[in-house]
């Protein structure tokens, strides 16, 4: 599936940039589903996003400057407000500005310290994470980086319980126990699904690596939620009462590139576990995933016949079914690289 070719994907919210990286003075460029956008903070310090292409001679607005909540094109100086309306043409003396002088503006809001953008009419709200609003939990921002991997590949990996013992052999995996735990429960929801399973870690050496929880064995309850199309939460509950929730979004930049956004939320304190140590552990695990995922073919098929599968692929198969059903519902056909292109690339 080529994400840039499926218009329905423009109707989801995606986190695109940490709010701390936006300002009232400097534009911030981003590419979402192949659409070039530019973000900044308006005079009320709220994030805004418009198309990053001037309607005059197509110069990139993000090379310009922000003043009084508006962005001014660096080429001839036209200025646009947060609705994308041209509000100043320096070459005009007193004539009115035609209403056709405008660029597309997109819905943009702040949530979880990120600016989220939806390029169309949102199908669903931004994923709800109740723990983020619970004062007994703390927020730890982890990663914001660009990966050369398609959204479908990377979101499937988040629910793939068989890869860990190989990909994460150096961090927490155990190649001596390659059979993944059974998937106990997958409940489909309007916005994705919830998957629960219990993971028993018996190897004492692995315990030491396991965020310092030193017991003979650990039974971790994992609850994974999929939020269509490319976001998830992973909530790990340890027997000692610790809740460790990871939110990850793979914001689709284009067909083969995703922006990783990851933060975690925990009900402990810096005295229990230092944020730097938690980030360091997740850094290793995340890098292990990235190394393998960037070797995968980006045009992942929704159709199951093109690849082989095993029992632990069940969540990924549901993801493919749901996305295929979404396309059907909105009258879209899955877009793929043409056969001739893929032959040329492979040969
Ligand atoms: Fe933007 Fe001319 S191209 S003002
Ligand atoms: Co992994």
């Amino acid at each position: 599936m080529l994400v840039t070719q499926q218009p329905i994907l423009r109707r989801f919210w995606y986190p695109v940039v940490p709010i701390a990286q936006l300002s009232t003075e400097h534009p911030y460029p981003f590419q979402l589903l192949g659409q070039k956008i530019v973000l900044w903070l308006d005079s009320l310090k709220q994030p805004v996003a418009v198309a990053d292409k001037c309607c005059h001679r197509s110069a990139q607005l993000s090379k310009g400057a922000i003043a009084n909540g508006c962005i001014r094109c660096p080429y001839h100086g036209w200025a646009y407000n947060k609705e994308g309306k041209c509000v100043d043409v320096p070459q005009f003396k007193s004539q009115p500005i035609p209403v056709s002088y405008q660029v597309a503006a997109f819905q943009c809001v702040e949530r979880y310290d990120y600016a989220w953008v939806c390029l169309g009419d949102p199908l669903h709200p931004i994923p709800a994470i109740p723990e983020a609003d619970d004062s007994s939990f703390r927020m730890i921002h982890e990663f914001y980086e660009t990966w050369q991997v398609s959204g479908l590949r990377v979101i499937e990996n988040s629910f793939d319980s068989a890869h860990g013992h190989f990909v994460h052999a150096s961090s927490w995996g155990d190649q001596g126990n390659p059979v993944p735990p059974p998937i106990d429960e997958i409940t489909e929801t309007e916005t994705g699904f919830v998957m629960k399973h219990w993971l028993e870690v018996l190897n004492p050496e692995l315990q030491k690596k396991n965020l310092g929880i030193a017991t003979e064995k650990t039974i971790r309850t994992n609850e994974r939620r999929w939020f269509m199309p490319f976001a998830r939460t992973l909530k790990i509950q340890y027997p000692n009462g610790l809740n460790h929730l990871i939110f990850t979004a793979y914001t689709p930049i284009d067909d083969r590139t995703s922006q990783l956004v990851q933060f975690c939320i925990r009900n402990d304190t810096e005295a229990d576990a230092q944020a730097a140590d938690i980030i360091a552990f997740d850094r290793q695990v995340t890098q292990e995933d990235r190394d393998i995922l960037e070797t995968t073919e980006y045009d992942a098929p929704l159709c199951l016949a093109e690849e082989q599968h095993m029992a632990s692929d069940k969540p990924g198969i549901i993801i493919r079914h749901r996305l295929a059903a979404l396309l059907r519902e909105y009258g879209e056909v899955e877009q793929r690289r043409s056969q001739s292109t893929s032959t040329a690339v492979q040969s």
Side-chain angles (χ1 to χ4, degrees):
M1 178 177 66
L2 301 176
V3 294
T4 63
Q5 309 300 310
Q6 310 288 173
I8 192 63
L9 298 181
R10 297 169 66 93
R11 295 187 58 187
F12 290 89
W13 285 103
Y14 302 97
V16 300
V17 55
I19 204 78
Q21 292 195 32
L22 296 181
S23 83
T24 52
E25 287 159 22
H26 305 293
Y28 185 97
F30 193 82
Q31 193 176 156
L32 180 59
L33 290 164
Q35 166 75 55
K36 287 187 173 154
I37 60 175
V38 53
L39 298 100
W40 70 94
L41 296 182
D42 68 10
S43 21
L44 298 172
K45 300 251 170 85
Q46 296 301 310
V48 297
V50 304
D52 194 8
K53 188 167 92 173
C54 183
C55 71
H56 177 222
R57 288 295 179 269
S58 77
Q60 232 180 311
L61 296 175
S62 56
K63 301 277 189 201
I66 311 296
N68 303 320
C70 295
I71 188 163
R72 192 173 290 282
C73 179
Y75 198 173
H76 310 92
W78 294 15
Y80 299 87
N81 67 12
K82 63 182 177 183
E83 281 92 35
K85 191 167 171 288
C86 182
V87 291
D88 185 41
V89 176
Q91 295 79 12
F92 285 7
K93 286 282 182 226
S94 55
Q95 71 212 81
I97 298 170
V99 289
S100 60
Y101 283 24
Q102 62 172 354
V103 296
F106 304 108
Q107 294 192 56
C108 182
V109 297
E110 178 180 357
R111 193 76 178 103
Y112 312 128
D113 302 331
Y114 274 81
W116 293 65
V117 172
C118 180
L119 297 175
D121 183 17
L123 282 180
H124 303 295
I126 289 172
I129 309 173
E131 290 83 355
D133 300 319
D134 181 334
S135 59
S136 61
F137 283 74
R138 60 179 167 143
M139 169 83 97
I140 300 170
H141 287 285
E142 295 197 312
F143 311 121
Y144 178 69
E145 62 199 25
T146 308
W147 288 15
Q148 297 305 312
V149 61
S150 67
L152 182 54
R153 289 288 184 208
V154 72
I155 193 64
E156 277 195 343
N157 178 68
S158 291
F159 296 95
D160 169 3
S161 50
H163 81 279
H165 294 312
F166 284 83
V167 171
H168 303 301
S170 310
S171 53
W172 60 266
D174 181 0
Q175 283 196 4
N177 289 299
V179 182
I183 298 167
D184 300 288
E185 209 179 297
I186 298 184
T187 309
E188 294 203 39
T189 65
E190 201 193 338
T191 55
F193 59 65
V194 186
M195 167 180 163
K196 291 186 180 164
H197 70 266
W198 291 264
L199 181 61
E200 203 174 56
V201 180
L202 295 165
N203 184 332
E205 279 307 302
L206 295 177
Q207 295 296 339
K208 283 188 217 145
K209 297 184 201 169
N210 197 0
L211 298 176
I213 294 177
T215 55
E216 295 264 305
K217 71 174 186 177
T218 305
I219 298 174
R220 305 187 306 194
T221 308
N222 289 356
E223 181 193 276
R224 295 164 193 260
R225 281 179 186 267
W226 172 46
F227 298 95
M228 293 175 85
F230 308 127
R232 64 104 194 223
T233 53
L234 162 60
K235 187 169 166 181
I236 307 171
Q237 293 178 283
Y238 293 90
N240 65 357
L242 172 66
N243 281 358
H244 177 81
L245 184 146
I246 300 173
F247 171 85
T248 314
Y250 309 101
T251 295
I253 293 173
D254 59 28
D255 294 324
R256 57 173 81 204
T257 318
S258 304
Q259 186 73 21
L260 172 80
V261 167
Q262 182 163 306
F263 53 81
C264 84
I265 304 176
R266 289 165 64 100
N267 60 345
D268 64 353
T269 66
E270 191 70 9
D272 300 317
Q274 291 190 1
D277 292 339
I278 294 163
I279 293 170
F281 180 84
D282 286 347
R283 172 77 281 171
Q284 184 183 350
V285 172
T286 305
Q287 189 61 40
E288 289 163 353
D289 282 316
R290 179 181 185 167
D291 288 345
I292 198 73
L293 285 165
E294 289 191 337
T295 71
T296 59
E297 164 59 51
Y298 69 89
D299 187 11
L302 296 182
C303 167
L304 300 187
E306 280 187 45
E307 297 184 328
Q308 308 306 313
H309 313 279
M310 58 180 170
S312 53
D313 296 322
K314 187 176 173 187
I317 288 170
I318 296 176
I319 288 172
R320 294 184 190 201
H321 281 156
R322 288 288 296 271
L323 291 174
L326 178 77
L327 299 190
R328 270 198 309 279
E329 186 182 349
Y330 289 90
E332 292 184 24
V333 173
E334 182 191 6
Q335 299 297 307
R336 305 290 311 280
R337 292 198 301 172
S338 72
Q339 200 54 47
S340 57
T341 311
S342 73
T343 307
V345 169
Q346 282 163 10
S347 59

